[in-house]
Amino acid sequence: MAFFKHNGYLEKKEFIDKKLLEKLENLYNHELNNTNANVVKLDFINLNRYEILNEINQNFIKLIRDEIKIDIVLRNIWLQKSNFESIHNSVPYIPHIDKKRYFKIFLYLNDVDKENGPLSVCTNANIRDNEFKRKSWWKKVEGKSRDQINKEDNHGLVFENENLNFKSVCLPAGSIVALDTNCPHFAGKIKEGFDRKILRFNFFSSFENSYDINFKAKKLFLNISKIVNYYKNL
C-alpha cells in the first residue's frame, strides 16, 4: 500500500493464468476483427455481456482492495493493438499525467519487451504535488467550453523535467500494471515489425476525491445505470 501511494504504480507478473489468457485473447481478436479497428471501447454498462471480463474485473477489485486498500469501480475497458509509428513527439509518447485522475490497470496480452514499446512509469514521482498541478490546470481552464479544454494538452499535462526517472515495464503476457495517473507515464516506441496488445481497464477510485471527480457520486451513478440497463433488457 505504501509503495503504491508513494510511487503511483504496481506490477504483478503473470496475474492472469494461461487458460484464462487464451480465452481473453479469443475475445480480444473477435472484437477487433468485428470492428476492423485497432481500438475498441467497452462501456461498463455492457460488461454483463462478457463473462470473462466480469471475472477479471472482480479479480482486480479484490486485488486492489487487499493490496492497496482502496475501492475502485469500473468505468470502461479499452482493447488496443498498437503497431510501429514514425512520429512520437506528442502524448501518449512523451511523459504526462492525465488531465482527469483515474486508476488504470494495463493487462498485457502478449509478451512486452523493449521492441514492443512497453509502458514507462516514473519511479520518483511526487503524486501529491502532481495533484496540485492538475487542480491548477483545471482552474486555469475554468469557464472554457469542452472543445476548448480538449484542445489544450489534449490527453494530458506534459512533463518536461530532466530530474524525473522512468522505468520501462517489460513483462510477460498475462501481467498487469496498476497506475495512478498522477504518476507521470508514457507509451513506448514500437519497433517496426512488432506490436503491443493490451486491455486497459479505467476505474474511478476512492483515493481520488479530487478537484474534478467525486468518487461516491460516480460510483452511485454507475451502479444505478447498470441496474436501469439490466431492466431495460429483460
PDB file of all heavy atoms in Angstrom, residues 9 31 35-36 40-41 58-59 98 137 157 160 162 164 182 193 210 223 227 234:
ATOM      1  N   TYR A   9       2.352   3.317  -8.887  1.00  0.00           N
ATOM      2  CA  TYR A   9       2.197   2.175  -9.788  1.00  0.00           C
ATOM      3  C   TYR A   9       2.476   0.867  -9.054  1.00  0.00           C
ATOM      4  O   TYR A   9       3.119   0.848  -8.005  1.00  0.00           O
ATOM      5  CB  TYR A   9       3.103   2.296 -11.022  1.00  0.00           C
ATOM      6  CG  TYR A   9       4.577   2.100 -10.736  1.00  0.00           C
ATOM      7  CD1 TYR A   9       5.173   0.845 -10.864  1.00  0.00           C
ATOM      8  CD2 TYR A   9       5.382   3.169 -10.337  1.00  0.00           C
ATOM      9  CE1 TYR A   9       6.528   0.662 -10.598  1.00  0.00           C
ATOM     10  CE2 TYR A   9       6.732   2.994 -10.072  1.00  0.00           C
ATOM     11  CZ  TYR A   9       7.292   1.735 -10.201  1.00  0.00           C
ATOM     12  OH  TYR A   9       8.627   1.555  -9.934  1.00  0.00           O
ATOM     13  N   GLU A  31     -13.480  -9.091 -31.062  1.00  0.00           N
ATOM     14  CA  GLU A  31     -13.984  -7.711 -31.002  1.00  0.00           C
ATOM     15  C   GLU A  31     -13.259  -6.810 -31.995  1.00  0.00           C
ATOM     16  O   GLU A  31     -13.877  -5.994 -32.677  1.00  0.00           O
ATOM     17  CB  GLU A  31     -13.838  -7.151 -29.582  1.00  0.00           C
ATOM     18  CG  GLU A  31     -14.733  -7.815 -28.549  1.00  0.00           C
ATOM     19  CD  GLU A  31     -16.206  -7.592 -28.808  1.00  0.00           C
ATOM     20  OE1 GLU A  31     -16.564  -6.493 -29.282  1.00  0.00           O
ATOM     21  OE2 GLU A  31     -16.997  -8.514 -28.543  1.00  0.00           O
ATOM     22  N   THR A  35     -14.933  -5.050 -35.651  1.00  0.00           N
ATOM     23  CA  THR A  35     -14.974  -3.605 -35.897  1.00  0.00           C
ATOM     24  C   THR A  35     -13.945  -3.160 -36.921  1.00  0.00           C
ATOM     25  O   THR A  35     -13.940  -1.997 -37.336  1.00  0.00           O
ATOM     26  CB  THR A  35     -14.726  -2.831 -34.591  1.00  0.00           C
ATOM     27  OG1 THR A  35     -13.457  -3.246 -34.047  1.00  0.00           O
ATOM     28  CG2 THR A  35     -15.824  -3.106 -33.578  1.00  0.00           C
ATOM     29  N   ASN A  36     -13.058  -4.093 -37.298  1.00  0.00           N
ATOM     30  CA  ASN A  36     -11.983  -3.771 -38.252  1.00  0.00           C
ATOM     31  C   ASN A  36     -11.190  -2.552 -37.772  1.00  0.00           C
ATOM     32  O   ASN A  36     -10.883  -1.636 -38.539  1.00  0.00           O
ATOM     33  CB  ASN A  36     -12.559  -3.512 -39.646  1.00  0.00           C
ATOM     34  CG  ASN A  36     -11.483  -3.556 -40.725  1.00  0.00           C
ATOM     35  OD1 ASN A  36     -10.464  -4.248 -40.573  1.00  0.00           O
ATOM     36  ND2 ASN A  36     -11.674  -2.805 -41.791  1.00  0.00           N
ATOM     37  N   VAL A  40     -10.981  -0.760 -29.485  1.00  0.00           N
ATOM     38  CA  VAL A  40     -12.397  -0.976 -29.209  1.00  0.00           C
ATOM     39  C   VAL A  40     -12.661  -0.589 -27.764  1.00  0.00           C
ATOM     40  O   VAL A  40     -11.947  -1.009 -26.854  1.00  0.00           O
ATOM     41  CB  VAL A  40     -12.811  -2.447 -29.431  1.00  0.00           C
ATOM     42  CG1 VAL A  40     -14.249  -2.678 -28.976  1.00  0.00           C
ATOM     43  CG2 VAL A  40     -12.660  -2.828 -30.899  1.00  0.00           C
ATOM     44  N   LYS A  41     -13.700   0.218 -27.564  1.00  0.00           N
ATOM     45  CA  LYS A  41     -14.075   0.633 -26.212  1.00  0.00           C
ATOM     46  C   LYS A  41     -15.307  -0.149 -25.769  1.00  0.00           C
ATOM     47  O   LYS A  41     -16.306  -0.217 -26.483  1.00  0.00           O
ATOM     48  CB  LYS A  41     -14.388   2.133 -26.191  1.00  0.00           C
ATOM     49  CG  LYS A  41     -14.867   2.640 -24.833  1.00  0.00           C
ATOM     50  CD  LYS A  41     -15.271   4.110 -24.928  1.00  0.00           C
ATOM     51  CE  LYS A  41     -15.838   4.624 -23.616  1.00  0.00           C
ATOM     52  NZ  LYS A  41     -16.325   6.019 -23.744  1.00  0.00           N
ATOM     53  N   GLN A  58     -13.650  -8.433 -11.291  1.00  0.00           N
ATOM     54  CA  GLN A  58     -13.811  -8.775  -9.873  1.00  0.00           C
ATOM     55  C   GLN A  58     -12.475  -9.151  -9.240  1.00  0.00           C
ATOM     56  O   GLN A  58     -12.205  -8.818  -8.079  1.00  0.00           O
ATOM     57  CB  GLN A  58     -14.827  -9.921  -9.717  1.00  0.00           C
ATOM     58  CG  GLN A  58     -16.258  -9.544 -10.076  1.00  0.00           C
ATOM     59  CD  GLN A  58     -16.750  -8.326  -9.313  1.00  0.00           C
ATOM     60  OE1 GLN A  58     -16.573  -8.208  -8.092  1.00  0.00           O
ATOM     61  NE2 GLN A  58     -17.361  -7.391 -10.035  1.00  0.00           N
ATOM     62  N   ASN A  59     -11.628  -9.835 -10.010  1.00  0.00           N
ATOM     63  CA  ASN A  59     -10.291 -10.171  -9.503  1.00  0.00           C
ATOM     64  C   ASN A  59      -9.463  -8.911  -9.251  1.00  0.00           C
ATOM     65  O   ASN A  59      -8.721  -8.821  -8.265  1.00  0.00           O
ATOM     66  CB  ASN A  59      -9.558 -11.073 -10.495  1.00  0.00           C
ATOM     67  CG  ASN A  59     -10.131 -12.475 -10.561  1.00  0.00           C
ATOM     68  OD1 ASN A  59     -10.838 -12.907  -9.651  1.00  0.00           O
ATOM     69  ND2 ASN A  59      -9.858 -13.181 -11.641  1.00  0.00           N
ATOM     70  N   ASP A  98      -2.521  12.340 -16.640  1.00  0.00           N
ATOM     71  CA  ASP A  98      -3.831  12.556 -17.258  1.00  0.00           C
ATOM     72  C   ASP A  98      -4.501  13.782 -16.651  1.00  0.00           C
ATOM     73  O   ASP A  98      -4.336  14.077 -15.468  1.00  0.00           O
ATOM     74  CB  ASP A  98      -4.721  11.333 -17.054  1.00  0.00           C
ATOM     75  CG  ASP A  98      -4.232  10.135 -17.860  1.00  0.00           C
ATOM     76  OD1 ASP A  98      -3.097  10.177 -18.373  1.00  0.00           O
ATOM     77  OD2 ASP A  98      -5.004   9.165 -17.980  1.00  0.00           O
ATOM     78  N   TRP A 137      -4.347  23.401 -13.306  1.00  0.00           N
ATOM     79  CA  TRP A 137      -4.699  23.393 -14.720  1.00  0.00           C
ATOM     80  C   TRP A 137      -6.204  23.540 -14.911  1.00  0.00           C
ATOM     81  O   TRP A 137      -6.670  24.310 -15.742  1.00  0.00           O
ATOM     82  CB  TRP A 137      -4.220  22.094 -15.374  1.00  0.00           C
ATOM     83  CG  TRP A 137      -4.460  22.081 -16.857  1.00  0.00           C
ATOM     84  CD1 TRP A 137      -3.639  22.585 -17.828  1.00  0.00           C
ATOM     85  CD2 TRP A 137      -5.603  21.568 -17.541  1.00  0.00           C
ATOM     86  NE1 TRP A 137      -4.202  22.403 -19.069  1.00  0.00           N
ATOM     87  CE2 TRP A 137      -5.408  21.784 -18.924  1.00  0.00           C
ATOM     88  CE3 TRP A 137      -6.779  20.940 -17.114  1.00  0.00           C
ATOM     89  CZ2 TRP A 137      -6.342  21.394 -19.879  1.00  0.00           C
ATOM     90  CZ3 TRP A 137      -7.705  20.550 -18.064  1.00  0.00           C
ATOM     91  CH2 TRP A 137      -7.486  20.781 -19.430  1.00  0.00           C
ATOM     92  N   LEU A 157      -1.306  16.409 -19.156  1.00  0.00           N
ATOM     93  CA  LEU A 157      -0.416  17.523 -18.855  1.00  0.00           C
ATOM     94  C   LEU A 157       1.020  17.044 -19.036  1.00  0.00           C
ATOM     95  O   LEU A 157       1.471  16.120 -18.358  1.00  0.00           O
ATOM     96  CB  LEU A 157      -0.636  18.003 -17.421  1.00  0.00           C
ATOM     97  CG  LEU A 157      -2.098  18.284 -17.025  1.00  0.00           C
ATOM     98  CD1 LEU A 157      -2.160  18.833 -15.608  1.00  0.00           C
ATOM     99  CD2 LEU A 157      -2.745  19.259 -17.995  1.00  0.00           C
ATOM    100  N   GLU A 160       8.036  18.230 -18.564  1.00  0.00           N
ATOM    101  CA  GLU A 160       9.386  18.456 -19.086  1.00  0.00           C
ATOM    102  C   GLU A 160      10.304  18.699 -17.901  1.00  0.00           C
ATOM    103  O   GLU A 160      10.546  19.821 -17.499  1.00  0.00           O
ATOM    104  CB  GLU A 160       9.378  19.648 -20.053  1.00  0.00           C
ATOM    105  CG  GLU A 160       8.549  19.397 -21.313  1.00  0.00           C
ATOM    106  CD  GLU A 160       8.550  20.582 -22.247  1.00  0.00           C
ATOM    107  OE1 GLU A 160       9.150  21.612 -21.892  1.00  0.00           O
ATOM    108  OE2 GLU A 160       7.940  20.473 -23.335  1.00  0.00           O
ATOM    109  N   GLU A 162      13.894  17.111 -16.370  1.00  0.00           N
ATOM    110  CA  GLU A 162      15.006  16.183 -16.566  1.00  0.00           C
ATOM    111  C   GLU A 162      15.366  15.422 -15.297  1.00  0.00           C
ATOM    112  O   GLU A 162      16.147  14.466 -15.339  1.00  0.00           O
ATOM    113  CB  GLU A 162      16.227  16.954 -17.064  1.00  0.00           C
ATOM    114  CG  GLU A 162      16.720  18.020 -16.105  1.00  0.00           C
ATOM    115  CD  GLU A 162      17.873  18.833 -16.679  1.00  0.00           C
ATOM    116  OE1 GLU A 162      18.048  18.818 -17.917  1.00  0.00           O
ATOM    117  OE2 GLU A 162      18.574  19.466 -15.884  1.00  0.00           O
ATOM    118  N   LEU A 164      13.246  13.678 -13.545  1.00  0.00           N
ATOM    119  CA  LEU A 164      12.382  12.511 -13.392  1.00  0.00           C
ATOM    120  C   LEU A 164      13.073  11.272 -13.953  1.00  0.00           C
ATOM    121  O   LEU A 164      13.711  11.313 -15.001  1.00  0.00           O
ATOM    122  CB  LEU A 164      11.048  12.729 -14.110  1.00  0.00           C
ATOM    123  CG  LEU A 164      10.128  13.821 -13.552  1.00  0.00           C
ATOM    124  CD1 LEU A 164       8.825  13.875 -14.348  1.00  0.00           C
ATOM    125  CD2 LEU A 164       9.826  13.594 -12.078  1.00  0.00           C
ATOM    126  N   ASN A 182      -1.736  10.131 -11.744  1.00  0.00           N
ATOM    127  CA  ASN A 182      -0.920  11.252 -11.270  1.00  0.00           C
ATOM    128  C   ASN A 182       0.561  10.908 -11.301  1.00  0.00           C
ATOM    129  O   ASN A 182       1.415  11.743 -11.026  1.00  0.00           O
ATOM    130  CB  ASN A 182      -1.312  11.650  -9.845  1.00  0.00           C
ATOM    131  CG  ASN A 182      -2.375  12.743  -9.831  1.00  0.00           C
ATOM    132  OD1 ASN A 182      -2.967  13.078 -10.851  1.00  0.00           O
ATOM    133  ND2 ASN A 182      -2.619  13.306  -8.658  1.00  0.00           N
ATOM    134  N   GLY A 193       7.739  -4.036 -37.201  1.00  0.00           N
ATOM    135  CA  GLY A 193       7.581  -5.486 -37.221  1.00  0.00           C
ATOM    136  C   GLY A 193       7.079  -6.067 -35.910  1.00  0.00           C
ATOM    137  O   GLY A 193       6.794  -7.266 -35.827  1.00  0.00           O
ATOM    138  N   SER A 210     -10.811  14.124  -5.843  1.00  0.00           N
ATOM    139  CA  SER A 210     -10.011  15.220  -6.344  1.00  0.00           C
ATOM    140  C   SER A 210     -10.874  16.327  -6.929  1.00  0.00           C
ATOM    141  O   SER A 210     -12.096  16.266  -6.890  1.00  0.00           O
ATOM    142  CB  SER A 210      -9.011  14.691  -7.383  1.00  0.00           C
ATOM    143  OG  SER A 210      -9.670  13.949  -8.363  1.00  0.00           O
ATOM    144  N   ASN A 223     -23.617   2.469 -10.743  1.00  0.00           N
ATOM    145  CA  ASN A 223     -24.422   1.347 -10.273  1.00  0.00           C
ATOM    146  C   ASN A 223     -25.885   1.501 -10.660  1.00  0.00           C
ATOM    147  O   ASN A 223     -26.539   0.533 -11.058  1.00  0.00           O
ATOM    148  CB  ASN A 223     -24.285   1.194  -8.753  1.00  0.00           C
ATOM    149  CG  ASN A 223     -22.940   0.627  -8.349  1.00  0.00           C
ATOM    150  OD1 ASN A 223     -22.331  -0.118  -9.108  1.00  0.00           O
ATOM    151  ND2 ASN A 223     -22.457   0.973  -7.167  1.00  0.00           N
ATOM    152  N   ILE A 227     -28.197  -0.957 -13.228  1.00  0.00           N
ATOM    153  CA  ILE A 227     -29.499  -1.513 -12.846  1.00  0.00           C
ATOM    154  C   ILE A 227     -30.565  -1.158 -13.879  1.00  0.00           C
ATOM    155  O   ILE A 227     -31.352  -2.002 -14.309  1.00  0.00           O
ATOM    156  CB  ILE A 227     -29.908  -1.001 -11.441  1.00  0.00           C
ATOM    157  CG1 ILE A 227     -28.959  -1.588 -10.378  1.00  0.00           C
ATOM    158  CG2 ILE A 227     -31.351  -1.389 -11.125  1.00  0.00           C
ATOM    159  CD1 ILE A 227     -29.104  -0.951  -9.014  1.00  0.00           C
ATOM    160  N   LEU A 234     -34.626  -6.825 -20.020  1.00  0.00           N
ATOM    161  CA  LEU A 234     -35.405  -8.004 -19.608  1.00  0.00           C
ATOM    162  C   LEU A 234     -36.449  -8.357 -20.671  1.00  0.00           C
ATOM    163  O   LEU A 234     -37.015  -7.499 -21.327  1.00  0.00           O
ATOM    164  CB  LEU A 234     -36.075  -7.736 -18.254  1.00  0.00           C
ATOM    165  CG  LEU A 234     -35.162  -7.782 -17.026  1.00  0.00           C
ATOM    166  CD1 LEU A 234     -35.964  -7.475 -15.765  1.00  0.00           C
ATOM    167  CD2 LEU A 234     -34.491  -9.146 -16.899  1.00  0.00           C
TER     168      LEU A 234
END
